[in-house]
Amino acid sequence: MSDNEVAQGRSAGADMAGAFESSGGHGPTPPSQITGHYSADNPDMVQFVDADGNRLGITEANEPYSCIVEEMTSQDARTIYRDLVLVRRIDAEGHALQRQGELGLWPSLLGQEAAQVGAGRALRPQDYAFPGYREHGVAWCRGVPPENLFGMFRGVNNGGWDSNANNFHLYTIVIGNQMLHGTGYAMGVKADGAVGTGDPDRDTAVMAFTGDGGTAQGDYNEALVFASVTAAPIVFFIQNNQWAISEPNDKQFTIPPYQRSRGFGIPGVLVDGNDPLATYAVCKAALDRARAGEGPTLIEAYTYRMGAHTTSDDPTKYRSDAEVEIWREKDPIKRMRGFMEEKGHADAEFFAAVDVEADEIAARIREACQTMHDPDPVTMFDNIYVEEHPVVAAERAEFQAYQASFVEEGSH
Amino acid sequence: MAGSKLTLAKGLNAGLRRAMEEDPKVVLMGEDVGKLGGVFRITEGLQKDFGEDRVIDTPLAESGIVGTAVGLALRGYRPVVEIQFDGFVYPAFDQIVSQVAKMHARSLGNLRVPMVIRIPCGGGIGAVEHHSESNEAYFAHTAGLRVVSCSNAADAYWMIQQAIQTDDPVIFFEPKRRYHERGQVEVDRDAGADLGLYESRVVREGTDATLLCYGPMVKTCLQAADAAAEEGRSLEVIDLRTLSPLDLPAILDSVRKTGHAIVVHEAQTFVGLGAEIATLIQQEAFYHLEAPVLRVGGYNIPYPPSRHEEHFLPDLDRVLDAVDRSLEY
Ligand SMILES: Cc1ncc(C[n+]2csc(CCOP(=O)(O)OP(=O)(O)O)c2C)c(N)n1
């Protein structure tokens, strides 16, 4: 989005209806009704550092969170920086492995590292995350081994990690479904009395993730209703990366999600999704609120998907290079590093060591992916039901006998 | 009291009550299930006794009801969800087939979503559209779901408890036009159900032909068998009870004995459960058959306006007509 487009969007508000009428489906696309909400000077946007990492002053929007940022130590900053770099590298490896034929598909998170790491680091061990399919950075922060994510995209399983080991649910492909799972889980947390006890190891919150496109889905909207009326301890985290495959924000909504949440009775926060300090701070505050038993919050992280939707997508068909370039300037890692250098949170040695670690992780997960075995085909009959099911049992036996017949004939 | 005469509706209510008493993780959810006790009063009095946290009046959002039940199940609860009427399960269809059915498999067995989705089903009550459908085939077609259908008060009482105890998700069909029919129910605490949830029952023994039916059609088939007996024909009637998995051995035993099979259900016959049952019978018992397996079901049209439903729904005469055709071979 160029500044020019932003300006158009803002000035066009008044005669929007006219623009719609005259376009009649054939005329020029009406100027966006919503881009104005996301301009840099939107007073609602929570931000702590500028594009170069300079600490911004106190504003009405960031003031409630500034104490969280003030309390962050150099070590906290280094943890976040390391996560950002490693997550980017894991993502790049996923992309490369797909290009080399090792994975069938990869949905890249490039550009969204700050949103995900901020959210991921604000979660506590007992909290539970319900992701979509692009939350590799949250998975990383939860301790899910990155190579486990690959199994799904390689096609050896439909989710190769134990959700309960790290309280990170399986990826969910049907857009929006997981918003309800998170809400129901949070209703259970509340029914268990695991909120508002004041015990930091006991009080629990849930975070559910979806994209800007996901906010149009029925399940998303139903989840907001359920969470609101049950005061469930959940934080809805919307990564507004501005594109749902080829469809921009103005095909999904005319009022941004962070404002629309109020119509559901849920406070909404708009945060600069490329600012890791800001995403961490707003997530921490919202999760604390949920854990205290004060109910749900919706966070909209305004960010950008730098890559394609997935490796099957061709973004040149629907967006301009110029738009991508504008967002390259807002790179979250550059920003975090600038901030740390300015504050003296780390030295060159630290930054170099993180790069080395990234290389090591990349090599490790590459090897894990390449040596990942296809499961024995008979396992596709496993776990369909908890209890034995005669149809599955019969078909398993039939399949095994059929396979065995090839072995006997010596054709394997 | 060891046994008493209850309606099917009260049998369900008593079964739910007992399940809730025995397991504090059992929660009921749905539209109007609390104060009102559900539009059919199946949950009547339960909120009063178990509280609003265990009998949850939900927003009017079916996908939301089933989707949040998934989350509750993941947290260790055993939700029993009420869909108000058969025709309103479709907004939740996505959650049921995409998530409920697949969660265990795609988690490689790590996750379970034990839940019961109760659906009042079928027609015959003169209702407005979307209140009379039989959509069991959609769910029976979906791997990962179990589908059962009760037909009488005793089964209602026991089957609902068994379904709640099952670790797999169960779609539980209740024949709404039989809700008010009474039957003897042994509610003795120690008396277990005499049948497993996935077993069918021979409700009337006979030798000339087998009627395979479930839910609301069990009564219709029993009436047909009575009428046939007056003409000297002996019909065996099997209440399938379980639709997925089918209790195939019981079906085959009977068909091998009689050589004639007629499947009776309210749902449209095209790609319905009868088609599956007929195929399985001809695959497994071909040489025992003395006639093709016949189906009696709804016509392949949307459920008609209620003034026509008596023509749509299989009745005693249509069943007997099929028996005639089968025995004429
Ligand atoms: C119910 C459903 N419809 C369509 C799709 C296909 N699809 C996959 S991702 C996607 C776009 C989602 O956009 P958004 O929610 O903004 O998330 P993003 O991919 O940008 O992270 C679509 C249409 C799907 N997965 N699920």
Side-chain angles (χ1 to χ4, degrees):
Chain A
M1 169 186 48
S2 70
D3 289 345
N4 189 24
E5 279 163 349
V6 170
Q8 271 185 6
R10 300 179 80 194
S11 60
D15 39 53
M16 213 53 256
F20 259 127
E21 275 159 28
S22 63
S23 72
H26 300 291
T29 308
S32 168
Q33 298 170 72
I34 50 155
T35 41
H37 290 290
Y38 299 115
S39 68
D41 56 359
N42 178 345
D44 292 339
M45 179 98 76
V46 180
Q47 271 183 319
F48 282 101
V49 285
D50 71 12
D52 296 317
N54 298 310
R55 183 78 151 79
L56 298 167
I58 296 293
T59 64
E60 207 176 310
N62 72 20
E63 192 276 330
Y65 309 99
S66 65
C67 61
I68 297 173
V69 173
E70 292 310 327
E71 281 169 13
M72 287 173 70
T73 62
S74 296
Q75 182 54 46
D76 292 336
R78 287 197 291 266
T79 299
I80 286 178
Y81 178 83
R82 174 176 172 269
D83 288 336
L84 294 172
V85 172
L86 299 188
V87 160
R88 176 168 294 180
R89 188 54 184 270
I90 291 161
D91 182 67
E93 205 53 41
H95 187 266
L97 285 164
Q98 193 282 334
R99 286 294 184 249
Q100 291 158 17
E102 297 289 342
L103 301 179
L105 183 84
W106 184 253
S108 169
L109 64 56
L110 187 64
Q112 299 177 222
E113 297 88 350
Q116 296 193 15
V117 169
R121 281 296 159 210
L123 290 161
R124 289 197 194 139
Q126 73 271 25
D127 295 339
Y128 216 111
F130 284 82
Y133 45 80
R134 201 191 291 285
E135 274 67 74
H136 322 313
V138 185
W140 166 258
C141 293
R142 296 305 284 167
V144 177
E147 48 270 48
N148 287 12
L149 305 176
F150 291 170
M152 179 168 183
F153 295 106
R154 190 177 170 89
V156 306
N157 58 50
N158 288 325
W161 57 94
D162 177 357
S163 324
N164 292 326
N166 302 89
N167 285 7
F168 182 79
H169 188 64
L170 299 182
Y171 277 176
T172 301
I173 302 289
V174 181
I175 309 285
N177 281 174
Q178 76 280 10
M179 307 309 276
L180 284 167
H181 304 164
T183 302
Y185 191 93
M187 287 160 62
V189 167
K190 193 175 170 204
D192 289 345
V195 292
T197 69
D199 176 353
D201 296 327
R202 173 124 206 263
D203 287 342
T204 300
V206 177
M207 197 178 248
F209 296 80
T210 196
D212 41 297
T215 67
Q217 280 285 349
D219 276 10
Y220 165 91
N221 288 279
E222 294 189 22
L224 264 56
V225 173
F226 271 74
S228 174
V229 301
T230 61
I234 184 166
V235 176
F236 297 107
F237 192 79
I238 317 306
Q239 288 171 82
N240 181 355
N241 65 14
Q242 304 181 48
W243 292 96
I245 310 188
S246 70
E247 300 201 356
N249 277 182
D250 56 12
K251 299 282 185 207
Q252 311 298 342
F253 43 77
T254 50
I255 303 285
Y258 84 94
Q259 289 187 352
R260 192 147 56 102
S261 71
R262 289 174 203 170
F264 292 89
I266 297 177
V269 181
L270 177 66
V271 62
D272 180 338
N274 285 28
D275 176 340
L277 302 181
T279 57
Y280 171 77
V282 298
C283 289
K284 182 169 187 305
L287 288 164
D288 282 346
R289 191 178 113 86
R291 291 188 205 103
E294 289 165 20
T297 304
L298 185 143
I299 295 171
E300 178 178 351
Y302 188 63
T303 179
Y304 194 78
R305 153 163 69 72
M306 293 300 291
H309 168 68
T310 67
T311 41
S312 306
D313 176 39
D314 176 6
T316 63
K317 289 200 158 168
Y318 54 82
R319 70 183 192 188
S320 72
D321 291 346
E323 178 182 296
V324 181
E325 284 317 308
I326 288 168
W327 281 86
R328 206 178 299 285
E329 287 307 305
K330 306 182 190 207
D331 182 63
I333 296 183
K334 180 186 87 155
R335 214 154 156 178
M336 188 67 192
R337 184 165 174 154
F339 168 74
M340 291 170 77
E341 284 170 344
E342 155 101 22
K343 295 278 179 198
H345 284 316
D347 54 17
E349 210 178 312
F350 167 80
F351 294 117
V354 171
D355 289 340
V356 170
E357 195 183 357
D359 288 342
E360 287 165 2
I361 287 182
R364 187 190 88 207
I365 63 177
R366 160 174 298 266
E367 194 190 329
C369 183
Q370 288 167 339
T371 55
M372 196 177 279
H373 293 297
D374 289 354
D376 182 342
V378 78
T379 60
M380 70 187 176
F381 295 96
D382 291 351
N383 301 310
I384 312 302
Y385 295 90
V386 178
E387 293 163 29
E388 180 83 357
H389 189 287
V391 174
V392 177
E395 290 190 347
R396 178 197 281 114
E398 203 178 288
F399 178 80
Q400 272 172 320
Y402 185 61
Q403 294 291 307
S405 72
F406 290 111
V407 177
E408 277 154 27
E409 286 165 19
S411 59
H412 265 206
Chain B
M1 55 162 195
S4 49
K5 276 251 183 206
L6 294 181
T7 61
L8 193 157
K10 291 281 184 218
L12 285 167
N13 180 276
L16 289 169
R17 173 178 292 280
R18 183 159 162 188
M20 295 186 78
E21 279 164 1
E22 289 180 357
D23 183 351
K25 292 293 184 185
V26 174
V27 294
L28 310 188
M29 309 170 64
E31 295 155 14
D32 306 302
V33 298
K35 275 212 178 69
L36 182 66
V39 291
F40 291 108
R41 311 290 185 269
I42 305 303
T43 56
E44 191 154 49
L46 298 178
Q47 191 183 62
K48 188 165 109 334
D49 296 339
F50 293 98
E52 291 185 18
D53 294 337
R54 292 191 64 198
V55 181
I56 305 167
D57 269 326
T58 64
L60 211 165
E62 282 73 12
S63 192
I65 294 169
V66 174
T68 54
V70 170
L72 279 158
L74 291 173
R75 180 75 190 178
Y77 287 84
R78 299 183 92 85
V80 182
V81 158
E82 176 172 301
I83 299 293
Q84 203 155 61
F85 281 90
D86 35 51
F88 307 136
V89 71
Y90 305 117
F93 193 69
D94 169 35
Q95 280 286 347
I96 297 173
V97 301
S98 305
Q99 301 296 340
V100 175
K102 292 178 179 158
M103 195 68 83
H104 186 61
R106 71 194 195 89
S107 68
L108 307 178
N110 286 316
L111 301 177
R112 293 175 181 191
V113 285
M115 66 163 82
V116 179
I117 300 173
R118 295 180 34 239
I119 307 180
C121 69
I125 61 164
V128 71
E129 66 168 342
H130 309 298
H131 289 71
S132 303
E133 307 193 358
S134 298
N135 39 35
E136 62 272 13
Y138 294 124
F139 301 105
H141 186 66
T142 301
L145 301 176
R146 292 176 181 268
V147 185
V148 301
S149 175
C150 61
S151 68
N152 60 68
D155 271 356
Y157 176 74
W158 286 112
M159 287 173 77
I160 192 68
Q161 294 180 65
Q162 292 168 316
I164 291 169
Q165 281 161 15
T166 302
D167 275 336
D168 285 311
V170 179
I171 309 290
F172 193 96
F173 282 105
E174 302 167 3
K176 65 172 88 80
R177 71 166 135 146
R178 307 291 182 218
Y179 270 146
H180 301 298
E181 307 211 342
R182 286 176 185 279
Q184 184 70 17
V185 182
E186 302 305 323
V187 292
D188 197 300
R189 287 218 150 256
D190 301 321
D194 65 331
L195 278 184
L197 187 57
Y198 307 116
E199 286 174 66
S200 58
R201 186 200 307 271
V202 178
V203 286
R204 180 186 175 111
E205 294 200 16
T207 51
D208 294 340
T210 305
L211 299 180
L212 298 158
C213 53
Y214 51 92
M217 285 293 103
V218 174
K219 181 176 179 186
T220 306
C221 287
L222 285 171
Q223 288 169 338
D226 280 345
E230 287 170 18
E231 295 170 16
R233 283 177 171 167
S234 162
L235 302 185
E236 180 143 300
V237 180
I238 297 189
D239 178 355
L240 294 173
R241 297 172 82 253
T242 170
L243 311 182
S244 175
L246 280 167
D247 185 1
L248 192 57
I251 296 172
L252 295 177
D253 280 351
S254 178
V255 174
R256 286 187 182 121
K257 180 172 78 175
T258 65
H260 296 264
I262 297 135
V263 191
V264 183
H265 57 53
E266 284 191 20
Q268 291 86 339
T269 54
F270 187 71
V271 201
L273 220 64
E276 181 64 33
I277 295 169
T279 303
L280 289 168
I281 292 172
Q282 70 85 17
Q283 251 176 231
E284 303 296 326
F286 187 67
Y287 289 111
H288 293 85
L289 287 176
E290 287 168 29
V293 181
L294 298 182
R295 289 176 291 168
V296 181
Y299 299 107
N300 292 295
I301 55 173
Y303 195 89
S306 61
R307 290 301 175 108
H308 294 154
E309 69 181 342
E310 62 174 300
H311 302 295
F312 176 88
L313 294 169
D315 61 6
L316 183 145
D317 288 335
R318 276 174 62 198
V319 175
L320 288 174
D321 183 56
V323 170
D324 287 347
R325 277 187 285 135
S326 177
L327 293 176
E328 272 165 22
Y329 269 87

